Amino acid sequence: MKKNVFIIFLLISSVNLFGQINIVSKKIFLDSLNHETTPENYVYTRVITNYSQKSARYVVTDFYKNGRKKMTGCTLDRNILKKDGEFICYYKNGSKESVVNYSEDHKVGKEINWYENQSKKWEKQNSWNPKTKTAQTLIINFWDENKNQTVVDGNGEYEEKDKFVTQKGVIKNGLKQGAWQGNDILRKISFTDNYDQGILISGTSVDENNVKFSYSSLNEKQTGKKVLKSK
């Protein structure tokens, strides 16, 4: 009789513990653009391990479908990714892709990125001014895929690639300078941007129908609409 009572107690305890684990963590399914989606259409999963606990920071980890980590760090908001502290990203094969530090969702300090073969790609220095709400990123060093260093101590030629946009040009004192050529496969445009000390001062894009659009700010470039300037 005592043995049966003990077994029942263990079963109840196990169920309660399992329930607590499920409550503490939350799993979210994400698509390729990191938007929440259904379990049938997901590309990544996100787990907030201490979701049900009231906390100043929440541990968040993204996973590939193969179960390996894609990203890990902390968020200030359990429902919205508001990065704070060190974030580490990984390639699908498990090798490290980047290490970036954040303060209230803004990049700060040194940023390091690697190619998938683990040769170094770049070193950047990020800063954020909470009073003026301005951010700046200095490109300190850059290596191409053949391990040739083309930016040294903030000066040289740099090529920038993300999921949809490729662009290249000159770096001077850590900032984009002069004419930069690029392509955006998502918007199906090619463009030429002109920079002065990292600030976009003008640019021209051409779409797949050879329609040209001139812009004088990053906002105009992104929206494809002219911004009316107050007199």
Side-chain angles (χ1 to χ4, degrees):
M1 181 67 181
K2 288 183 178 180
K3 186 177 180 180
N4 291 336
V5 171
F6 180 70
I7 292 173
I8 293 171
F9 174 76
L10 285 178
L11 288 172
I12 293 172
S13 298
S14 299
V15 170
N16 287 338
L17 179 60
F18 182 74
Q20 288 173 9
I21 291 172
N22 281 340
I23 292 172
V24 167
S25 61
K26 181 179 181 180
K27 186 176 182 179
I28 302 170
F29 296 94
L30 303 172
D31 62 18
S32 60
L33 298 176
N34 285 328
H35 297 149
E36 192 167 347
T37 186
T38 62
E40 295 77 23
N41 300 311
Y42 84 98
V43 178
Y44 314 114
T45 56
R46 174 167 296 162
V47 176
I48 300 98
T49 57
N50 54 337
Y51 183 84
S52 67
Q53 300 171 339
K54 188 175 181 180
S55 177
R57 300 166 90 210
Y58 299 86
V59 178
V60 58
T61 307
D62 288 1
F63 295 91
Y64 292 103
K65 273 191 173 183
N66 62 10
R68 288 176 173 166
K69 287 182 182 179
K70 179 179 183 289
M71 178 193 76
T72 184
C74 289
T75 175
L76 297 174
D77 190 316
R78 60 186 173 181
N79 296 310
I80 301 171
L81 186 60
K82 191 175 182 181
K83 298 178 181 178
D84 196 64
E86 183 180 79
F87 266 75
I88 303 176
C89 293
Y90 301 89
Y91 289 104
K92 200 171 184 177
N93 65 4
S95 59
K96 191 180 291 186
E97 181 178 6
S98 64
V99 176
V100 187
N101 286 283
Y102 290 84
S103 176
E104 296 185 343
D105 212 30
H106 299 284
K107 289 184 178 182
V108 293
K110 192 173 184 179
E111 175 182 348
I112 305 174
N113 192 286
W114 293 267
Y115 290 102
E116 198 164 351
N117 63 8
Q118 292 303 275
S119 63
K120 192 172 282 188
K121 186 174 184 180
W122 70 54
E123 294 176 343
K124 298 180 180 180
Q125 188 69 29
N126 300 298
S127 61
W128 165 252
N129 188 325
K131 293 183 179 179
T132 60
K133 298 189 182 301
T134 54
Q136 185 180 65
T137 296
L138 299 178
I139 299 165
I140 308 302
N141 297 299
F142 174 76
W143 295 262
D144 64 20
E145 293 179 324
N146 297 315
K147 300 183 180 181
N148 299 311
Q149 188 171 0
T150 60
V151 176
V152 181
D153 296 331
N155 296 284
E157 294 184 356
Y158 179 72
E159 186 172 8
E160 189 172 79
K161 297 179 181 179
D162 63 21
K163 199 167 186 178
F164 303 111
V165 180
T166 300
Q167 55 183 323
K168 58 183 178 180
V170 172
I171 297 295
K172 185 177 180 181
N173 297 324
L175 299 169
K176 293 178 180 179
Q177 185 65 34
W180 277 59
Q181 308 290 333
N183 294 282
D184 186 329
I185 61 173
L186 184 64
R187 298 170 61 193
K188 297 180 181 180
I189 62 170
S190 60
F191 58 86
T192 300
D193 291 343
N194 296 295
Y195 287 90
D196 184 26
Q197 298 181 51
I199 298 173
L200 178 66
I201 55 175
S202 66
T204 303
S205 65
V206 182
D207 68 15
E208 59 182 338
N209 298 315
N210 205 33
V211 176
K212 294 183 179 180
F213 176 72
S214 297
Y215 45 87
S216 58
S217 69
L218 186 59
N219 185 44
E220 287 184 351
K221 178 183 178 181
Q222 291 175 337
T223 61
K225 299 178 181 179
K226 286 289 185 180
V227 177
L228 295 176
K229 297 180 181 179
S230 58
K231 296 181 180 180

